[in-house]
Each structure stands twice: as structure tokens, then as C-alpha cells.
Amino acid sequence: MRNRLLYVLCLSGLTAFAQDNTGYQTPPKPLADLVTAPPTPTVSVDSKGQWMLISERNTATTTIAELSQPELRIAGLRINPATNGPSRAVFVNNLKLRQVSANAADVQITGLPANPQLSFIQWSPDDSKIAFTNTTDTKIELYVADVATTVAKKVSDVALNASLGVPYQWVSDSKSFIVRGIPAERGPAPEISRVPSGPTVQENLGTKAQAATYQDLLKSPSDEKQFEYYATAQTMKIGLDGVVQKIGTMGLIATTAPSPDGRFVFIESIHRPFSYLVTVNRFPAKMDIFDAAGSLIKTLTDVPLQENVPWGQDAAPSGQRNHNWRNDVPATLYWVEAKDGGDPKKKVAVRDVVYTLDAPFSSEAKEIYSAANRFGGVTWGNDQTALFSERWNATRKIITKLVNPSSPANPVVLFDRSSEDRYNNPGTPELKKNAYGEYVLDITPTNEIYLTGQGASPEGDRPFVDLFSLTTKQAKRLFRSEAPFFERPISILNAEKGLILTSRESQEEQPNYFIRNLKPAPKKGKKAAEPALTQVTFFPHPYPQFKGIQKQQLRYKRPDGVDLTAMLLLPPSYKKEDGPLPTFLWAYPAEFKNAAAAGQVNGSPYQFNRISYWTGAAFVTMGYAVLENASIPIVGEGDKEPNDTYVEQLVASAKAAIDEGVRLGVVDANRVGVGGHSYGAFMTANLLSHSNLFKAGIARSGAYNRTLTPFGFQNEQRTYWQAPDVYNKMSPFMNVDKVKTPLLMTHGEADNNTGTFPIQSERYYNALKGMGATAKLVFLPYESHGYTAKESLLHMLYEMNGWLDKYVKNAPATPPATKTGKMSGEK
């Protein structure tokens, strides 16, 4: 990777030149204000509904100086070698507590470290304490805050190892932790060798090994040594008194999980041989059970290197996977095994089987559930009740079954639906803590559970709370969000009294937390009182200067009859008599196997007008009409695959959105730009290749040549060799000669997202340049797939605003060119 402050190439007309390095730029103040606005605090509520933890950040972004710190990119990880933690963390800078009640005041947690950089925040099992880590310049430390005293203190001087994930877990006694600590005997880090000891050799002896195009892989023996060093940890039990007890030996510890009763610890440790083809989650791993005193009880399995896992979203590794403890019993492990070898192409009656093994782990494992599809997860309740799910992506099927763990032979189907069908999503079960401090199903004495969900409907999203009978399989609605508000249930505070905590917002009102009483006492002279609301938090509007932005949910049809939606944003002062506006369409395509599901309404017109700097919505502040989240469904029903007609559906969807805006009199069809991020960037480049609908395009962090992702992309499961025409037609790179519309591209130099290698933008820009297109490429130093540094975000908006201003807002008022024999808007 080249070392540069900012690498910018641009092409204007038929003349190419390298832009002078002018450094980071700042956009106009309305756009800059969106980046620098103070972030709204996040809230976490204890399981009793008594306290909320308020986590505050100084800023929503990092700085380029922070982002440029040393970073190891190995085995699919990005590690800060100075701290042994993630290199791109977003930290909390302050913690406060507030009682969940009216007129409660924030209480500052004292004893926080100086210049706090807090993360991995967890309530204790009994909710009496809050644990968190603090990252210093050299290590990650463990702290605990006492809720009663609101005082925090450091637990131990042991440095934690977070290179492979969350570095600690509470034990059920709320007095101790199981941690991954850095052992003193690990010694100094190995030097990074710049001189190779020989070539890097890989060999395949006729075995199919289809895989995604992973980045940040191991590339040399020197990389292997670095990975081995920074992943090395020692499992330890640490008490609140700071006493440390080692469990097992040091190694490459990926998982350390105490049993619900705290008597055992499950440890997953990675070992050689490593791979240069796949990431760390596919490396060999040994699964062991230790007792709390540190003695090895049992080795469950040793999973080999998984380079040859069958390909596809319905594929799975062979052997044991997904080891975890049952939440509802003292010490029972469960895991899954594929009975089809993980190969979705095999025709079998049972694909996955879930096994359990009870302490003391000396007996044979028991089969508790067999899935005809791929296992999708389990929510434990008690020894009589658990909810198991299975799914199959190819058919978009999701099934939820009620299982009696004590007698699992005859599971009962509760829900059998399509994952695409948002309208009939039954919701997610509410959970409560049991005696071990583990979250399990909240089951009423009459065998009912609470379900909460987003509540998608033809009127838009209307979140709900249902009481669902596990006996009759019937639901009773207790609450549903009502216009003109968008109100989302957060937790059930007191089921008997009908008290729930919600987050409530409207177009002009920032989301805040409320206690809603579903069972208010009747008022004198009335049959019943209106549901009572008590406001708990009072977070201010993050950018009051933008109040009054107009929002409308549009609903319209594509020529093939598919229903579409878009959120139309208009500037605060806009009046229809002002005439049509320059317009920016921002979208992200989605594949469907059902046209009816593709047309379902998404979002709510009553949600807060949060004007994100990240999407097209930001440009409503610059006088544009914005078609935000315009639906671009790509449908392939029955034997047809969605992408077989990707281009045709893409163009038709975009044209339908523009036509609807023109019909309303707010969109100037002669001044429309289009943009998107990632797969939205891919969409943008394709629209410029296959239509004349737009005056300019903005594509961020995209992939443009599908031959570089030959084993599938997004929801496309066919390989390049199975569907070469689809891959070629969908690749903007293959159709670069058709692009006559100015295109701005941005890309993070350190993009590690599967498929969107930075070379995708480099090669596509070179092709555009070679064919004489008007194009500009901006590489952002140190940024990944999403951009996080304030300087990068400001410069991104600066480039986007300049491009739209030049090619869209000030475009000549002439109709887009239309080629002979083609429909308007199609090339």
C-alpha cells in the first residue's frame, strides 16, 4: 500500500491530470455541522428496570492522528500492538447513572480514570455493579462501578487481551470475572521481519475450496509470529479484591465462558497450522472444559483447519460448532453439528443437530433438536420451554419451534414464515434474568411470553408489544405505536402493573425515553384514561438549526407492478410554488424472491429527522430534494434468480422514483444525481452505465468488477463460471465504455470489507480514464470500508458537495439525452 497523505486523481473532459495535494478540506458549514454535532448519549437499562446507565462520548468521530497509529492487519484482525486491543475502537468518555423515574437527575460515576477511553461495558449478573475496560496508551484495564455508591475503581493491574474479542465475562456471583489476561511470560514482541526467508507457497491437491475474497490475511512466517504473539493470553479468574487465579495454560485463547453457576469455564484455543486463505475464525481450535480451580475436566473436540468449507449462505463447517452454555440450567453445554457435511447441495432430511452435555461431562451428549434446515439459534427459558429456530436462505424460510428441553421429541411449530415478509414478523421474545444472572424467556404463570417488534405495516413501521400464548399460539396486542409519533418498546419494567420503557420520537422531537403505563387507572367521568406517559430523559435536539426539514414517505409503483417507497426530504423553507429542486437519490439495492415482499413499506414517516452526514440526507441542508432510501428491489421469483434481470429492474426502480418526484412537482428531472455506499456504489456505477437518468454519480467504497468476486457477492450464490453473463452484465468495469455521466468515487485505503478491495476503485477509475469519462477518485488514508476520522468525513462531504454543485445543481437545464430505439432514461 502506498504511503500518501491524500491520493486524488481526476479527469475532466478528455484531459487527465493529477490534482495538487491541497490537504484535507472542509465543506460548507451546514454539512460540517452534521459531522461536529455532539453525539446523543446511549442508554442501557438494568434488568430490573430501576437504573439506566448513560454513556457519553466527546465526539462522534475519531481523528486522523488517532487512526494513523500503528496497526497490525493479520488473520482478518486489526490489532493495536500497543494495547493488544482492536485498533479502530470507538470509546465512551463518561458514565452517569439515572433512576428510571420522573424528575430523576443524572448521577456522575466518580473514580473514572483520567482521560477515560471506556468500552466493553457490562452490568453484573445481579445488576448491582457495572464493569468496563479502560484503554491507556499501553494496555487495557478492568474497572467496576458500584451502582449504590456510584464509585468506580480499578479491579486489577492485569492487562487484558482483547485482540480476539471481549476480554472478560462476569461470573454469576457478581464478585469475580473470567478474563483473558496477558501473561508476563509472553515476553517481548517478535520483530517484524522485512527480509523473507523464502517464497510463500500454497498448494491445493484437487480439493474444491471456494471462499470469499478475504482481506488482512496472514501472508508470511513473520505474520504468523506476530499473530501468535498478540493472540496469546492466559485465562484467569479475578475477584473484585484483585486476587488472580490462573485457569489452564497460556495460548491463543479465543473464548473464555464461565458456566451459569460459575463452577466451570469453557475455553476455545486456536492452534497451528494457520492459513493464508481464510481468517482466524476458520483456524484449528480445541474446545476444553475446566473447573473453576483450573483443572482440565474434558476436551470436547479439536476442530481442524476449515479451508474447504462448502460455499454459500446455507453452507456450514463440518464437525462441532457454536459451542455455548445453556442459560437456564447450572452447567450444560450445547453445540451444533452439520449432518450434511455442511453442503447445502446435498439432499438430506436433517441438516443440523443440536447436542447438549450436562456436568460433570462424563456421559454421552444428548440430541435435543434436529433441523431440516440450517440451525438459526435458540432462546432458553426453563427445563420445559425453549424456542429453537432454523433458516434456509435459498428459500428465505425461517421456522421457530417450541421445544421441551426435558422431553424434546415433539417440537411444536410456532412460526413458519419468509424472512422477506416484514409485515408478518411476530417479533422478538422479551427476556429476563434468572437466578444465575443469565437472560432467559420471560414466561408468565399462564404460559405466555412477550414479543416486541418493529411492526412493519402498509402504514409504515409501528413498533408493538404482544402477549403471545405458547399454548394457543395466539397473540394479544398490548401496545402499538401511533401517529404522529414513532415509539419503540425498550423493556418491560413491570408486567403486572403494565409499565414499559419506550423510546419516543417524532419528526421534530429527538428520541427520548418514557415510561408508558398500559393499565392506567380510570379517571372520574370517563370509561378509561389515556395511556399515561412519563418522560425520563431530556436529550436535546442535536442540530436545532435544521429544524423544519420536511419529510414525506412516497409510495409508487414500478412498471412491472412492484410497489416502491422512498423518503422525500425537502429544505425547511421550501414551498411548492418554488418549483422543482435539484435532487439527490440515495439507495442500496436488495434482492427478493417474492415481489409482494419486495413491495412492503420500510421505515416510518414519524421518525426523527436525523440528518446523517453519512447518507444523501445530508444534502437537504444544501437546498436539494433528497430521495433517501429509495427502494431498489431486485426480484427473481420461482426458478428465476433476482440478478438475471438486475440491470432492467435497477433502471426501472430509479426511473420510477424520479417520475414520482416529478409528478409531485418537487424533483427537477434535468438535475438529478445518484449516490450510494458499498453495494450502493455498485448500483450507482451501473445506473450510469445503463441509463441517462442522472447528471452525476457518487460511488463510495464500491466493487465494480465481479470477476474479482467469482464465488458470489451479496445474495448471488452462483459462481462466475455458472453465470458468466450475469457477472459480466452486472460489472460496471465491463460496461465502462457506456459511461458518459460524471462519476466521483471515494474509497478507504485500508478497506477490509469482503469484496471491496481498494483495487476495485483504482482499476475502475483507470478504465474510466482510458475511455475518456469525466471521473474523480479520492483515496482516504487509513480509512476502512466506513470512514471514521473527522478530517476524512469533512473532506468526503467537501468532495460530494463540490461534485453535486458543479454537475447537478448548476447543470444546464436540458433534458437528458435519449438514444434511438431506447425508452427514456435507458441506454
Side-chain angles (χ1 to χ4, degrees), residues 20-37:
D20 292 336
N21 184 359
T22 56
Y24 288 106
Q25 300 296 310
T26 301
K29 188 175 186 301
L31 292 172
D33 285 348
L34 297 177
V35 176
T36 58

Side-chain angles (χ1 to χ4, degrees), residues 106-147:
D106 290 348
V107 181
Q108 176 65 50
I109 293 180
T110 61
L112 298 177
N115 302 313
Q117 295 190 101
L118 315 180
S119 56
F120 302 119
I121 301 169
Q122 298 180 32
W123 288 91
S124 65
D126 65 2
D127 294 315
S128 66
K129 305 173 188 68
I130 300 160
F132 54 90
T133 63
N134 179 56
T135 300
T136 70
D137 291 338
T138 59
K139 64 179 180 177
I140 300 173
E141 303 169 322
L142 182 61
Y143 278 72
V144 166
D146 184 89
V147 173

Side-chain angles (χ1 to χ4, degrees), residues 464-524:
F464 65 87
V465 179
D466 281 354
L467 187 62
F468 181 82
S469 172
L470 296 174
T471 304
T472 67
K473 297 194 286 187
Q474 298 298 310
K476 175 185 177 182
R477 183 131 297 172
L478 303 179
F479 165 78
R480 191 183 192 191
S481 181
E482 298 288 346
F485 296 97
F486 180 81
E487 189 170 358
R488 182 170 54 90
I490 302 298
S491 65
I492 295 175
L493 302 177
N494 188 313
E496 185 178 347
K497 293 182 179 180
L499 301 180
I500 64 173
L501 184 71
T502 69
S503 173
R504 191 172 189 252
E505 62 195 271
S506 68
Q507 287 192 9
E508 292 298 332
E509 296 178 20
Q510 157 90 340
N512 270 292
Y513 290 85
F514 290 76
I515 298 173
R516 176 172 282 278
N517 186 352
L518 302 179
K519 299 178 180 180
K523 289 184 178 179
K524 188 175 182 180

Side-chain angles (χ1 to χ4, degrees), residues 224-242:
E224 292 185 50
K225 292 177 182 177
Q226 294 293 316
F227 165 70
E228 202 161 34
Y229 177 81
Y230 286 102
T232 293
Q234 171 68 58
T235 301
M236 307 174 185
K237 184 175 182 179
I238 300 181
L240 292 178
D241 56 5

Side-chain angles (χ1 to χ4, degrees), residues 43 156 223 251 291 300 310 391 419 555 662 702 811 813:
V43 171
S156 168
D223 280 356
D291 64 23
L300 283 173
R391 48 97 186 155
S419 61
R555 303 179 190 185
V662 170

Side-chain angles (χ1 to χ4, degrees), residues 386-711:
L387 301 183
F388 282 76
S389 68
E390 51 187 270
R391 48 97 186 155
W392 198 248
N393 181 74
T395 58
R396 310 301 197 267
K397 179 180 282 293
I398 293 180
I399 300 173
T400 303
K401 294 182 181 181
L402 174 64
V403 175
N404 181 343
S406 299
S407 180
N410 297 299
V412 176
V413 175
L414 295 181
F415 309 111
D416 186 345
R417 65 182 190 89
S418 168
S419 61
E420 296 179 340
D421 185 2
R422 298 179 69 248
Y423 289 176
N424 290 300
N425 188 333
T428 303
E430 279 292 293
L431 307 177
K432 67 176 182 180
K433 281 186 178 179
N434 60 13
Y436 307 111
E438 300 282 350
Y439 280 100
V440 295
L441 289 170
D442 187 357
I443 306 171
T444 71
T446 53
N447 203 33
E448 296 165 315
I449 60 174
Y450 296 93
L451 297 174
T452 61
Q454 192 74 355
S457 75
E459 298 84 41
D461 290 351
R462 298 179 61 189
F464 65 87
V465 179
D466 281 354
L467 187 62
F468 181 82
S469 172
L470 296 174
T471 304
T472 67
K473 297 194 286 187
Q474 298 298 310
K476 175 185 177 182
R477 183 131 297 172
L478 303 179
F479 165 78
R480 191 183 192 191
S481 181
E482 298 288 346
F485 296 97
F486 180 81
E487 189 170 358
R488 182 170 54 90
I490 302 298
S491 65
I492 295 175
L493 302 177
N494 188 313
E496 185 178 347
K497 293 182 179 180
L499 301 180
I500 64 173
L501 184 71
T502 69
S503 173
R504 191 172 189 252
E505 62 195 271
S506 68
Q507 287 192 9
E508 292 298 332
E509 296 178 20
Q510 157 90 340
N512 270 292
Y513 290 85
F514 290 76
I515 298 173
R516 176 172 282 278
N517 186 352
L518 302 179
K519 299 178 180 180
K523 289 184 178 179
K524 188 175 182 180
K526 294 185 179 182
K527 292 183 179 179
E530 293 296 320
L533 273 177
T534 303
Q535 189 165 353
V536 178
T537 64
F538 297 84
F539 300 133
H541 197 297
Y543 22 75
Q545 68 272 32
F546 298 136
K547 279 188 174 182
I549 285 174
Q550 303 171 56
K551 180 164 67 175
Q552 179 184 353
Q553 192 170 55
L554 305 184
R555 303 179 190 185
Y556 48 98
K557 285 185 181 290
R558 212 163 63 180
D560 60 3
V562 174
D563 292 317
L564 303 177
T565 61
M567 198 65 73
L568 173 66
L569 302 177
L570 297 169
S573 60
Y574 175 78
K575 300 180 182 62
K576 195 167 184 179
E577 51 265 31
D578 296 338
L581 294 173
T583 302
F584 191 29
L585 185 151
W586 187 268
Y588 190 96
E591 298 93 336
F592 293 87
K593 289 295 292 179
N594 181 280
Q600 291 183 350
V601 177
N602 190 12
S604 168
Y606 305 115
Q607 287 181 277
F608 176 60
N609 288 337
R610 187 172 296 282
I611 310 302
S612 171
Y613 56 74
W614 189 243
T615 72
F619 289 89
V620 72
T621 67
M622 300 303 295
Y624 291 84
V626 178
L627 292 167
E628 177 82 344
N629 290 328
S631 55
I632 310 284
I634 310 298
V635 184
E637 296 188 297
D639 294 334
K640 295 180 180 179
E641 291 298 324
N643 287 336
D644 291 345
T645 52
Y646 170 85
V647 168
E648 294 81 0
Q649 295 188 67
L650 185 70
V651 173
S653 296
K655 186 176 185 302
I658 295 171
D659 288 348
E660 178 64 10
V662 170
R663 186 188 71 80
L664 294 172
V666 298
V667 169
D668 183 350
N670 299 321
R671 293 188 297 164
V672 182
V674 61
H677 188 87
S678 193
Y679 206 54
F682 175 71
M683 169 206 74
T684 297
N686 266 306
L687 283 169
L688 300 194
S689 296
H690 300 288
S691 80
N692 283 308
L693 294 167
F694 302 99
K695 286 296 186 181
I698 297 175
R700 298 193 325 224
S701 300
Y704 308 103
N705 184 347
R706 285 302 168 198
T707 69
L708 298 180
T709 56
F711 294 111

